[in-house]
């Protein structure tokens, strides 16, 4: 499909949907396609486009990687069931944690997740289902950042010269590749997705693994999952572009009941941004910061320290790894 | 010497000075004593008390550990020379970095610094000078925290049952052990020390090594030294109790000139506190936070991310390790 950007001001959501539904139908013909739904705005939009084009010939899977947010699988699946779109949950927690074992380098962790996602989990589903096509929510910013060498987005394959048909046994179709986030939100809204989806802040492909510095274990993901839940509850009404909790690898000294407690540190980031290209830390009030630190240090076992990011993007990035 | 607390409201600085000068004179008789001056309010106060009691029989050394702040040795020595107190600089950078090589555990790092300070550097000076007494600025909060097992202060020996005479060849005298910081500042002022000394924010015994998470190398100390200089310049007029820059061991993704830069993170802490027992993050304006992040990411090579501590003490501590 085409890859030049369609800017928000040039987007006609209704026409775009019509065109993409036609393109998907044409590309897949009478075959089967599948897609992975994470519950973010990109994959939700792709799910709706695919379902409009293919109906029951689209198999939508929610991959439970063990890296998702609190209650995410249950919530997302029931939301889509409410829209008439069937979603199957695939439990792949063991495979992901096995692949991530002992890795601390961010690029190696991303690579392990990509391989597990596409090769192990999806390869298996493709072979089982007979689907030859994978619909995917890659967007324009993902392409740009990968090409610039800033971050390897886990869903960029073609741009890196990887032939998915040869390597994984299926063709990737990326209907959102010309859009940035604000345009995708418009399309999501026009597709009838609820506000909790089309307004949803961005969430990284590698999920909570992108927010664990150092080794990604079930225990460490649980720490950042609990912190993430608190951060999302406290900041969802701020209107910020994105907000996140990061578990640091470093440990710092704290005090619990008058005694030393060498514990974890959580970093909170909350971004004002239009398009994720540049961003600035949201000027949260100190009452809000106090409440965040207090809830995280009392509600997440082992955490003795919470910081707030004060760096703009650039030179920071939105996510830490 | 006595060890029950003298509270600020019960302190008569003039009488306290007279009494301590007498006690020091009596303890040392006609012998020689020495002390290490770091330039902080505690060791500066001890230097003045010792010099009043002993005059030229006090040998004051400034140990250049390689872990001090920018220009510190030069500044401190010339300030004391201005007050008529001679100070000798001892270059021990190699010994400290050699002892710290490969260590990442906070307690092991503290222990290496303690050993290098007391055993290697001071042991040598004692043997060379013939002094049998070491005057030291241990204060009441140091004792409390060490006894509680929160942190091992590097200057607490007797409380831990270590016989310095047997172990290191000298007796430690601690004239400030009954006072907390605010009382020590009063005494410093009454001793005629300038405001830049008696108002000076606390600085840890292990110096910048206490602000490097992970291994302490000359390069990593230089990063935190530069960040510290910026933080001190920007925050010295806030009236805060203490402010510091911490170099994290974790690295995070950043962007420089459109390309990925996997770089360092600096954490800034700024504390409101009366006595270091409890503390809360100073509510710095976002303009100040912006300026800090901007100056640190542009002025300190390799740093792509700056955070601000938002946790109270407890459960945090003032310093990170």
């Amino acid at each position: 499909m085409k890859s030049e950007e369609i800017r928000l001001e040039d987007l006609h959501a209704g026409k775009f949907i019509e065109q993409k539904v036609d393109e998907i139908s044409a590309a897949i013909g009478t075959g089967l396609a599948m897609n992975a739904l994470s519950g973010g705005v990109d994959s939700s939009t792709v799910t709706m486009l695919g379902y409009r084009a293919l109906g029951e010939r689209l198999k939508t899977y929610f991959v439970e990687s063990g890296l998702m947010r609190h209650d995410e699988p249950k919530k997302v699946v029931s939301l889509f069931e409410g829209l008439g779109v069937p979603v199957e949950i695939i439990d792949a927690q063991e495979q992901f944690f096995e692949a991530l074992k002992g890795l601390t380098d961010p690029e190696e962790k991303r690579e392990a997740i990509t391989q597990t996602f596409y090769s192990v989990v999806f390869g298996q589903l493709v072979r089982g289902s007979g689907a030859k096509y994978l619909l995917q929510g890659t967007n324009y910013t993902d392409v740009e950042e990968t090409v610039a060498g800033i971050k390897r987005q886990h869903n960029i394959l073609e741009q890196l010269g990887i032939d998915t048909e040869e390597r994984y046994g299926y063709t990737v179709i990326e209907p959102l590749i010309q859009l940035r986030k604000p345009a995708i939100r418009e399309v999501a809204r026009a597709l009838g997705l609820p506000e909790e989806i089309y307004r949803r802040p961005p969430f990284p492909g590698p999920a909570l693994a992108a927010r664990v510095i150092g080794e990604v274990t079930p225990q460490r993901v649980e720490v950042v999952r609990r912190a993430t839940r608190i951060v999302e509850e406290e900041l969802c009404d701020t209107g910020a572009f994105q907000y996140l909790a990061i578990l640091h690898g470093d440990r710092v000294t704290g005090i619990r009941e008058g005694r030393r407690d060498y514990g974890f540190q959580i970093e909170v980031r909350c971004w004002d941004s239009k398009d994720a290209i540049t961003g600035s830390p949201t000027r949260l009030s100190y009452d809000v910061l106090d409440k965040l630190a207090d809830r995280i240090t009392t509600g997440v076992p082992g955490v003795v320290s919470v910081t707030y990011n004060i760096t703009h993007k650039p030179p920071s990035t939105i996510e830490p790894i």
Side-chain angles (χ1 to χ4, degrees), chain A residues 16 59 63 72 76 93 155 172 183 195 205 209 245 280 286-287:
Chain A
F16 178 87
K59 302 292 171 203
V63 176
E72 190 79 0
V76 173
Q93 299 184 60
N155 49 355
V172 177
E195 188 170 344
S280 53
Y286 277 94
D287 287 343

Side-chain angles (χ1 to χ4, degrees), chain A residues 66-67 96-98 100-103 109 208-209 212-225 247 264:
Chain A
L67 308 173
F96 278 94
F97 284 118
E98 188 54 37
L100 286 163
K101 213 171 195 171
L103 303 184
K109 294 192 305 191
L208 295 174
V212 170
I213 299 181
E215 191 182 3
V216 180
T217 64
Q219 295 72 30
R220 303 194 74 220
V221 171
E222 184 57 24
V223 170
V224 85
R225 179 181 288 123
L247 173 61
F264 302 125

Side-chain angles (χ1 to χ4, degrees), chain A residues 74-238:
Chain A
K74 215 169 61 187
K75 272 194 224 155
V76 173
V77 170
S78 73
L79 188 149
F80 275 83
E81 275 175 0
L83 296 166
V85 181
V87 181
E88 188 180 334
I89 296 183
I90 305 295
D91 186 349
Q93 299 184 60
E94 260 182 52
Q95 288 98 311
F96 278 94
F97 284 118
E98 188 54 37
L100 286 163
K101 213 171 195 171
L103 303 184
T104 56
D105 179 83
E107 290 299 300
E108 286 179 12
K109 294 192 305 191
R110 277 176 186 273
E111 181 62 22
I113 291 169
T114 303
Q115 286 304 323
T116 307
F117 196 86
Y118 288 97
S119 213
V120 182
V121 179
F122 259 76
Q124 214 156 31
L125 290 174
V126 173
R127 288 187 290 276
S129 68
K132 285 285 176 208
Y133 299 91
L134 174 61
L135 298 189
Q136 199 170 258
T138 319
N139 67 41
Y140 194 78
T141 311
D142 294 336
V143 177
E144 239 177 8
E145 294 207 336
T146 301
V147 170
I150 294 161
K151 281 185 189 175
R152 162 89 181 272
Q153 295 293 341
H154 80 291
N155 49 355
I156 301 289
L157 295 161
E158 197 187 326
Q159 282 75 14
L160 297 172
I162 294 171
D163 183 334
T164 57
E165 203 153 355
E166 186 189 310
R167 187 149 166 191
Y168 304 121
Y170 51 77
T171 304
V172 177
I173 296 176
E174 295 169 319
L176 306 182
I177 205 155
Q178 295 174 272
L179 308 182
R180 291 186 195 272
K181 216 61 161 189
I184 297 172
R185 294 189 193 285
E186 267 309 296
V187 173
R189 194 160 70 110
L191 281 163
L193 282 162
E195 188 170 344
E196 61 187 288
I197 294 287
Y198 72 73
R199 283 262 171 94
R200 202 162 198 196
F203 192 69
L208 295 174
R211 300 183 177 166
V212 170
I213 299 181
E215 191 182 3
V216 180
T217 64
Q219 295 72 30
R220 303 194 74 220
V221 171
E222 184 57 24
V223 170
V224 85
R225 179 181 288 123
R226 290 188 185 205
T228 299
R229 186 180 182 187
I230 293 167
V231 166
E232 294 191 345
E233 283 172 5
E234 294 297 330
L235 302 184
C236 66
D237 291 332
T238 55

